[in-house]
Amino acid sequence: MTSSAEGIGARVTRREDKRFVTGKGRYTDDMTVPGMAHAAFVRSPHAHAKVTSLDASAARAMPGVEAVLTSEELVADGVGNLICGWMIHSKDGSPMKMGAWRALEGDTVRHVGQAVAVVVADTPARARDAADAVVVEYEPLDAVVDALDALKPGAPQLHPEAEGNLIYDWEIGDQATTDAAFASAAHVTRMEIRNNRLVPNAMEPRAALASYDEAEEHYTLWTTSQNPHVARLVLSAFYNIAPEHKLRVIAPDVGGGFGSKIFIYPEEMVCLWASKKTGLPVKWAADRTEAFLTDAHGRDHHSEAELALDADNRITGFRVKTVANLGAYMSLFSSSVPTYLYATLLSGQYAIPAIHANVKAVYTNTTPVDAYRGAGRPEATYLVERVMETAAREVGMDPAEFRRKNFVRSFPHQTPVIMCYDAGDYDASLDAALQAIDYAGFAARKAEAASRGKLRGIGFSCYIEACGIAPSQAVGSLGAGVGLWESAEVRVNPVGTIEVLTGSHSHGQGHETTFAQLVSDRFGVGLDTVSIVHGDTDKVQFGMGTYGSRSGAVGMSAIVKALDKVEAKAKKLAAHLMEAAEGDITLEGGTFKVAGTDKELPFFQVALAAYTAHNMPEGMEPGLKEGAFYDPTNFTFPAGTYICEVEIDPDTGKTEIVDFVAADDFGTIINPMIVEGQVHGGLTQGIGQALLENAAYDEDGQLLSGSYMDYCMPRADDVPSYRLMTTVTTCPGNPLGMKGCGEAGAIGSPPAVINAITDAIGSNDLVMPATPAAVWQAIRQGRTAEAAE
Ligand code: MCN
């Protein structure tokens, strides 16, 4: 294959899939270390309770049991509490109220599934049996699961640090100008909007294998992490497990994360601590029930939204109040999700002169909530696009034209909520989607569906999102505890093969392919000469990992910087070797050439010359290896239009998505096939949220949908054959002009689906998930309301 067939823009099949689809992937649970023991956790069956006693004597006497470790020993050994790494200040200037979160709790448990002790035994089954034999007595306390209830006077209190369960009461935007816009509005659209709680469901549940080497006083942790360096940093700096240079974190093949594997959880910490305590390597792999109960959940907002319009149907103001349920503890980045990742996107694709948002974050007796694919942007998009559709209906405008009328058209565009959009063409994606769906033909399709007794509806979502969170200085000023740059090292070996060490981590996104395509494109070398190394703190320089659809825009930009340095040095050397001026050297198709002559040297010969170092320019160091750190100057802003068409059976409430068109702008695209795969996955997750998925708790805090029997993940026959297209405005902020694609589908799709269903049934009173029962009820309620009028 020539390099052009493998470079930027080529539909190269994913190189990593050979091992994944042949069962040759190496996941954490595949790792073994001689003498390895297994951990099983003793977990609270109560959502809120005092631990009154713990008796491990029977468990300790069981065959194969090495140890039963409790909170008391954890605290005595000085293991730190889990922390939230993004400081949010309330509008009165006070810092967020963080309750203490121990990896093993010995006093008060605050959600079902919270770990109170761990058993280490020679087999997983013996560890599980012994965990079941630990006798824990609890004094149950009243629990609260809904965030609005948790704020009510007299609600059960979770943490002494957070009076009234309020973590922060934060605001953004200008309240006075927003209120003024409402005072003079010609029309105001008001809505209450609920964003349902989701459980992330990566194919591979979380796992850890920790091994302590007493002679070296060194730990190794294999774990299912999206960001092994951040894990090492947090485990060292805050949890007091080991100094950074004495802890190696390896995230080998990881079977999906969708955000849930960004965070450090109690179990990984406990395995590390237990490996030193017992002198044995300790492995833990979550079963699916543990995943449901302990992986950070997503979304869970209650909001009130008001949109002000002038007499010409232009938006003049947007006012939002949101209550965000953060669960029982503040997970690692949870505080940033309903604030800087949510409210900063409330301007959508629209020129809105005044916005004010107030967000209250609340503790409840539920699993902690943190970033899940989209993290804040799906909540913002759902709110904005439901309100836009509703406002268009209220003022009697076509929903597409209402949006178009209010689009941002000149860039850069400073919104009233921090974000400065750098580039975009929202008309282009709307036009592409309208044409693809044949909007003009919708009325005829609706009539034809009606003749078959079906309700047909169409719904829009013109989403915008922000990824590649940056720059570090700016996010630092907003409370982030870390920088959000990325690193790369490009090692050209003496024979001309190339290893790229990246601080990003791939857990399904195809980096081993797309990152190599970049190198192939740049140097004109075959993909098979390039390998991508990631996920091991001992191999790779410090890096920030993968989340926020940043690996293309930020991670690949760091690689570009390192490639620039390699190319500059190699050209200098090639010029020296060919006795030519450096400015005359070009690199084409894997060969250095001297312009205007027939002199040339293949890439590998220059690489070899750099390592033999027999004939180098004066002062040049041997070798061909360069590193770079890249800190973006701004977020990137992927945007697009999704249009969903549904048919509903009014007798059953069952929704069928009959067509779904997605027109996205991801800037420069490295691999269209991988991008399409990312969009397919994202759309399916978004449709899952809209139609099927819900983490439902009963009033005592028991997770009712805690297994695949009750939590409905979308399957192939729940989704249509998507029709995807892209329009391109390149991102001016990074060298490749890329915008992220990994979350867009999940961000943009839920409102398109719900807007289509509410259009079909003629009733706007519908919450996600729009199950057949919910839709059937909404149809009935709509009819009852009509009859009463
Ligand atoms: N890409 C491209 N052209 C672009 C943008 C991206 O070819 N203009 C390619 C990239 O090179 C990369 C892939 O598309 O191979 C995704 O890139 P990007 O949008 O930068 O996202 P990340 O690689 O940073 O992945 C993170 C993103 C997030 S935040 C979640 S959540 C998510 C997602 O990716 N989790 C996933 N997709 C996932 N896919 C799988 N299979 N598993 C997960 O856990």
Side-chain angles (χ1 to χ4, degrees):
M1 227 193 276
T2 66
S3 63
S4 61
E6 297 182 329
I8 291 176
R11 289 181 170 270
V12 179
T13 51
R14 298 192 346 160
R15 304 194 308 159
E16 46 271 74
D17 284 349
K18 184 174 175 191
R19 66 178 191 278
F20 294 152
V21 300
T22 57
K24 300 274 177 11
R26 295 270 292 153
Y27 298 87
T28 297
D29 200 21
D30 293 323
M31 305 296 163
T32 53
V33 176
M36 186 171 81
H38 299 267
F41 287 85
V42 181
R43 298 187 181 279
S44 168
H46 299 286
H48 200 191
K50 284 258 168 224
V51 180
T52 52
S53 70
L54 188 149
D55 180 0
S57 51
R60 285 199 177 99
M62 286 171 75
V65 172
E66 297 285 348
V68 181
L69 303 173
T70 65
S71 177
E72 215 173 307
E73 290 150 294
L74 185 99
V75 173
D77 284 356
V79 176
N81 290 339
L82 285 95
I83 53 133
C84 176
W86 193 307
M87 172 52 74
I88 298 293
H89 286 90
S90 286
K91 57 188 182 189
D92 67 3
S94 61
M96 65 190 191
K97 309 290 188 291
M98 188 159 37
W101 186 8
R102 285 190 200 126
L104 296 175
E105 180 56 50
D107 181 21
T108 305
V109 286
R110 297 181 177 85
H111 71 92
V112 172
Q114 182 168 8
V116 294
V118 65
V119 175
V120 178
D122 59 350
T123 70
R126 282 173 150 179
R128 184 71 264 150
D129 285 348
D132 292 343
V134 175
V135 181
V136 188
E137 282 181 12
Y138 299 91
E139 179 192 320
L141 302 169
D142 286 342
V144 61
V145 297
D146 183 90
L148 296 181
D149 291 340
L151 287 177
K152 287 182 184 155
Q157 296 294 295
L158 269 80
H159 295 277
E161 297 86 350
E163 203 186 323
N165 299 316
L166 184 65
I167 299 168
Y168 53 73
D169 181 358
W170 174 89
E171 67 176 349
I172 191 170
D174 189 324
Q175 188 163 16
T177 53
T178 309
D179 288 349
F182 279 86
S184 61
H187 177 86
V188 176
T189 293
R190 293 194 170 82
M191 291 184 81
E192 277 185 32
I193 291 181
R194 174 100 178 94
N195 205 292
N196 43 330
R197 178 185 276 244
L198 303 177
V199 180
N201 278 284
M203 259 197 269
E204 181 200 14
R206 284 190 296 120
L209 167 58
S211 178
Y212 179 67
D213 180 335
E214 200 178 353
E216 300 286 344
E217 296 178 350
H218 183 278
Y219 294 83
T220 304
L221 175 68
W222 289 264
T223 187
T224 46
S225 174
Q226 298 180 211
N227 40 0
H229 284 93
V230 177
R232 186 182 66 165
L233 171 69
V234 173
L235 288 162
S236 304
F238 300 101
Y239 301 165
N240 200 21
I241 297 283
E244 261 181 305
H245 67 302
K246 293 287 185 185
L247 172 58
R248 177 181 184 187
V249 179
I250 306 169
D253 286 333
V254 175
F258 307 107
S260 68
K261 292 171 181 167
I262 299 172
F263 327 117
I264 320 299
Y265 290 88
E267 291 81 3
E268 293 87 328
M269 286 171 69
V270 167
C271 285
L272 278 167
W273 168 65
S275 72
K276 182 173 181 187
K277 199 101 187 133
T278 60
L280 298 168
V282 175
K283 181 190 271 189
W284 168 78
D287 61 28
R288 197 49 81 173
T289 302
E290 284 181 297
F292 269 97
L293 291 174
T294 63
D295 287 5
H297 291 179
R299 323 281 191 251
D300 204 345
H301 284 193
H302 286 278
S303 297
E304 290 170 19
E306 295 172 291
L307 191 74
L309 304 182
D310 67 13
D312 191 30
N313 294 331
R314 281 190 198 281
I315 304 167
T316 54
F318 195 29
R319 202 156 52 189
V320 176
K321 286 186 187 153
T322 293
V323 175
N325 189 341
L326 291 194
Y329 296 96
M330 294 192 72
S331 173
L332 194 60
F333 291 114
S334 57
S335 57
S336 64
V337 177
T339 50
Y340 292 111
L341 297 180
Y342 162 71
T344 53
L345 269 304
L346 287 175
S347 200
Q349 295 188 359
Y350 313 107
I352 306 182
I355 300 178
H356 181 257
N358 169 242
V359 178
K360 291 189 171 85
V362 180
Y363 282 120
T364 63
N365 295 109
T366 60
T367 297
V369 176
D370 206 323
Y372 168 57
R373 201 171 197 170
R377 290 98 86 209
E379 295 90 315
T381 301
Y382 186 68
L383 188 103
V384 171
E385 290 304 295
R386 286 287 291 129
V387 171
M388 289 300 287
E389 194 91 8
T390 304
R393 288 174 192 165
E394 285 179 359
V395 299
M397 255 189 101
D398 177 276
E401 291 317 307
F402 176 61
R403 287 175 168 86
R404 195 192 291 283
K405 183 171 193 119
N406 286 287
F407 276 163
V408 169
R409 287 213 173 71
S410 88
F411 296 90
H413 172 81
Q414 179 62 55
T415 70
V417 279
I418 297 182
M419 291 300 176
C420 182
Y421 302 163
D422 52 4
D425 184 347
Y426 309 142
D427 290 290
S429 45
L430 177 59
D431 288 341
L434 284 173
Q435 196 185 350
I437 201 102
D438 179 21
Y439 191 43
F442 174 70
R445 295 196 294 278
K446 189 174 173 73
E448 188 277 328
S451 73
R452 288 182 281 113
K454 293 285 171 68
L455 303 171
R456 194 158 175 131
I458 194 162
F460 291 80
S461 169
C462 295
Y463 79 90
I464 183 165
E465 71 121 331
C467 47
I469 312 171
S472 298
Q473 196 181 354
V475 296
S477 72
L478 300 178
V482 288
L484 292 168
W485 43 266
E486 198 43 89
S487 71
E489 184 174 300
V490 174
R491 293 182 186 165
V492 181
N493 295 321
V495 288
T497 58
I498 300 171
E499 290 165 285
V500 177
L501 288 77
T502 170
S504 301
H505 184 272
S506 187
H507 34 280
Q509 296 90 345
H511 296 176
E512 289 168 48
T513 305
T514 49
F515 288 16
Q517 282 181 260
L518 166 63
V519 180
S520 164
D521 193 87
R522 180 69 185 263
F523 288 164
V525 295
L527 271 190
D528 53 357
T529 65
V530 184
S531 64
I532 307 298
V533 181
H534 63 96
D536 184 340
T537 58
D538 262 17
K539 288 186 186 165
V540 179
Q541 68 292 337
F542 198 100
M544 298 309 300
T546 286
Y547 39 83
S549 301
R550 68 191 302 272
S551 309
V554 189
M556 291 178 88
S557 296
I559 299 174
V560 169
K561 277 189 76 178
L563 292 172
D564 287 345
K565 293 183 190 175
V566 167
E567 184 175 332
K569 182 172 180 181
K571 277 185 169 166
K572 204 178 272 245
L573 178 56
H576 176 78
L577 294 171
M578 291 190 277
E579 297 175 342
E582 200 184 321
D584 289 340
I585 303 293
T586 60
L587 175 55
E588 294 161 36
T591 305
F592 291 97
K593 294 182 178 169
V594 182
T597 74
D598 59 358
K599 285 187 183 174
E600 58 179 46
L601 270 178
F603 186 83
F604 77 88
Q605 276 193 15
V606 176
L608 187 62
Y611 285 93
T612 56
H614 295 161
N615 181 13
M616 304 283 278
E618 184 69 35
M620 182 181 275
E621 292 175 9
L624 197 50
K625 176 191 97 162
E626 299 288 347
F629 287 77
Y630 172 77
D631 198 354
T633 52
N634 193 357
F635 291 74
T636 71
F637 296 97
T641 293
Y642 294 166
I643 307 180
C644 175
E645 216 168 297
V646 297
E647 271 189 17
I648 292 161
D649 182 338
D651 296 329
T652 62
K654 171 106 174 76
T655 299
E656 185 193 351
I657 298 179
V658 286
D659 204 357
F660 198 106
V661 167
D664 291 293
D665 179 356
F666 299 133
T668 307
I669 288 179
I670 306 299
N671 185 325
M673 191 172 57
I674 285 181
V675 168
E676 285 163 15
Q678 287 293 312
V679 176
H680 281 190
L683 291 176
T684 303
Q685 273 172 310
I687 289 171
Q689 166 161 35
L691 294 182
L692 305 164
E693 297 181 43
N694 193 34
Y697 282 91
D698 73 8
E699 59 188 16
D700 297 325
Q702 297 293 335
L703 182 60
L704 298 174
S705 50
S707 80
Y708 288 140
M709 293 294 286
D710 338 272
Y711 187 93
C712 189
M713 294 283 289
R715 300 172 208 197
D717 64 352
D718 292 312
V719 296
S721 193
Y722 303 117
R723 294 195 292 131
L724 309 185
M725 61 218 66
T726 51
T727 59
V728 178
T729 60
T730 53
C731 172
N734 64 64
L736 294 165
M738 290 176 76
K739 308 178 190 184
C741 70
E743 294 160 289
I747 291 167
S749 55
V753 176
I754 300 298
N755 287 337
I757 297 175
T758 53
D759 178 53
I761 65 177
S763 163
N764 213 24
D765 193 12
L766 185 68
V767 292
M768 296 192 289
T771 58
V775 173
W776 186 86
Q777 216 163 17
I779 295 171
R780 289 295 168 287
Q781 271 161 4
R783 285 185 186 159
T784 315
E786 250 170 53
E789 274 168 17

